[in-house]
Amino acid sequence: MPKIEIDALPVETGSGYPGHRAALMDGRSQVRLGDVSGLSQFGVNLVRLEPGAVSSLRHWHEEQDEFLVITEGVCTLVDDHGETPLHTGDCAAFPAGDANGHMLQNQSDAPAAFVVVGTRTETETGYYSDEDMKVTMAHGKLAFTKKDGSALDQ
């Protein structure tokens, strides 16, 4: 496999979160390394966080594993156990079905980055620990609802 020229790849900003939640992802960007490489069994993303930015809302997955390694700076892992600083080279893993919701925050004054690898499944359900929201994925489409499946307040 040839070297991936990361600087030549498109950078995505913003979020797929509905309503006011999308603005919570300001300062976060990502490059989809797995997609440009033709990987189909797992996704690989390089995520950059500006100071004060977060990786996502705190969440967990029913079917998909996640693994990450910090590649630049310091990120703070926020999960049910509290806050844990992660430095360059540190790793964290989130097995499918473990209801310990997680997210990363950049609480430092410098940019931070990490590579995250996750399982690709035909369907998925994810839950957001700090609000009444879940996401389901089928046929490549995301649907956000309340945890009981009813309509989500935007």
Side-chain angles (χ1 to χ4, degrees):
M1 175 75 197
K3 176 182 174 184
I4 300 169
E5 298 294 340
I6 295 173
D7 292 339
L9 299 177
V11 176
E12 298 177 11
T13 58
S15 163
Y17 291 139
H20 70 278
R21 296 162 192 89
L24 299 173
M25 298 301 102
D26 288 350
R28 176 193 182 275
S29 63
Q30 73 176 357
V31 176
R32 295 185 183 272
L33 303 174
D35 288 351
V36 301
S37 303
L39 300 180
S40 61
Q41 297 179 18
F42 55 90
V44 182
N45 296 312
L46 172 61
V47 180
R48 297 187 188 282
L49 299 178
E50 295 300 320
V54 299
S55 62
S56 62
L57 299 176
R58 213 162 63 88
H59 69 285
W60 62 276
H61 299 273
E62 279 188 355
E63 299 177 40
Q64 297 177 351
D65 291 334
E66 285 183 281
F67 175 86
L68 65 85
V69 59
I70 305 300
T71 58
E72 176 185 347
V74 179
C75 292
T76 301
L77 169 63
V78 180
D79 67 5
D80 292 346
H81 303 292
E83 296 187 1
T84 305
L86 300 175
H87 299 86
T88 301
D90 286 344
C91 301
F94 310 100
D98 182 351
N100 181 3
H102 58 276
M103 67 184 281
L104 295 182
Q105 296 177 334
N106 182 352
Q107 298 177 0
S108 77
D109 295 331
F114 61 95
V115 171
V116 60
V117 179
T119 313
R120 291 188 188 205
T121 54
E122 291 288 322
T123 61
E124 172 61 311
T125 302
Y127 295 91
Y128 295 88
S129 303
D130 299 323
E131 59 182 279
D132 186 12
M133 187 170 77
K134 76 175 180 179
V135 61
T136 54
M137 189 266 299
H139 310 293
K141 300 202 185 229
L142 299 178
F144 291 91
T145 63
K146 290 185 178 181
K147 291 177 181 170
D148 67 4
S150 63
L152 185 65
D153 300 328
Q154 298 293 316

